[in-house]
């Protein structure tokens, strides 16, 4: 069963989230290296810094989706009657840019993991919204 974030990321297959849940320090180190190569971090951070416990209302959300969904008291955009909206549409555009920009910065296996976790937001949310 997928564990979707506010924006539609699938935490249940995210290497960062799953390594955190398992307490897998070597995997967290690999994730920190991948996040650096993907240019999602300026440096390779410590396993402690890269840990992720999913979307929390105290976390920073670069898209503003978390704040919007929290204010509407919904778990994610797919549950919103206004979906898709301007915020989610901008998020999907940016996500595609990220997907395109990292293909040459990681292995095929790493890219597939990121694709499943992050680059299928729209598909994940569309599926929820249609129900």
């Amino acid at each position: 069963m997928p564990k979707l974030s506010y924006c539609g990321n699938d935490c249940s297959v995210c290497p960062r989230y799953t390594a955190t849940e398992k307490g897998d320090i070597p995997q967290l180190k690999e994730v920190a290296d991948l996040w650096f190569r993907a240019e999602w971090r300026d440096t390779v951070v410590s396993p402690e810094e890269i840990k992720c416990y999913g979307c929390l209302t105290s976390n920073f959300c670069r898209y503003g989706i978390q704040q919007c969904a929290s204010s509407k008291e919904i778990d994610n955009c797919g549950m919103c009657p206004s979906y898709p909206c301007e915020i989610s549409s901008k998020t999907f555009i940016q996500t595609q840019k990220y997907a395109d920009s990292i293909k040459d910065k990681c292995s095929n296996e790493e890219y597939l993991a990121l694709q499943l976790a992050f680059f299928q937001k729209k598909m994940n949310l569309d599926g929820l919204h249609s129900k």
Side-chain angles (χ1 to χ4, degrees):
M1 179 77 171
K3 175 184 174 14
L4 297 184
S5 68
Y6 292 110
C7 68
N9 287 341
D10 187 346
C11 301
S12 66
V13 294
C14 172
R16 182 178 174 198
Y17 180 83
T18 57
T20 300
E21 288 288 297
K22 292 186 284 188
D24 188 335
I25 300 303
Q27 179 64 30
L28 284 167
K29 288 178 180 180
E30 289 178 25
V31 168
D33 178 64
L34 176 57
W35 262 233
F36 173 69
R37 284 185 283 124
E39 298 178 0
W40 295 346
R41 292 286 190 277
D42 294 334
T43 62
V44 177
V45 298
S46 71
E48 192 61 37
E49 281 184 79
I50 201 74
K51 285 182 179 179
C52 178
Y53 298 96
C55 286
L56 307 172
T57 54
S58 60
N59 293 359
F60 168 75
C61 176
R62 77 179 45 151
Y63 304 117
I65 285 180
Q66 173 204 45
Q67 296 87 339
C68 181
S70 292
S71 72
K72 294 179 180 182
E73 298 181 351
I74 55 176
D75 292 336
N76 60 56
C77 291
M79 302 171 97
C80 183
S82 300
Y83 176 83
C85 67
E86 184 178 341
I87 296 171
S88 61
S89 296
K90 285 181 181 179
T91 301
F92 301 146
I93 291 167
Q94 186 59 47
T95 296
Q96 187 58 53
K97 288 179 185 177
Y98 285 138
D100 295 342
S101 73
I102 69 161
K103 283 185 179 180
D104 62 341
K105 297 174 184 168
C106 58
S107 71
N108 289 338
E109 183 181 329
E110 289 170 328
Y111 185 82
L112 178 59
L114 297 176
Q115 181 180 33
L116 293 172
F118 305 119
F119 305 149
Q120 296 181 353
K121 288 175 173 57
K122 185 174 183 337
M123 183 181 78
N124 292 340
L125 295 173
D126 285 352
L128 279 177
H129 190 69
S130 67
K131 290 182 180 179

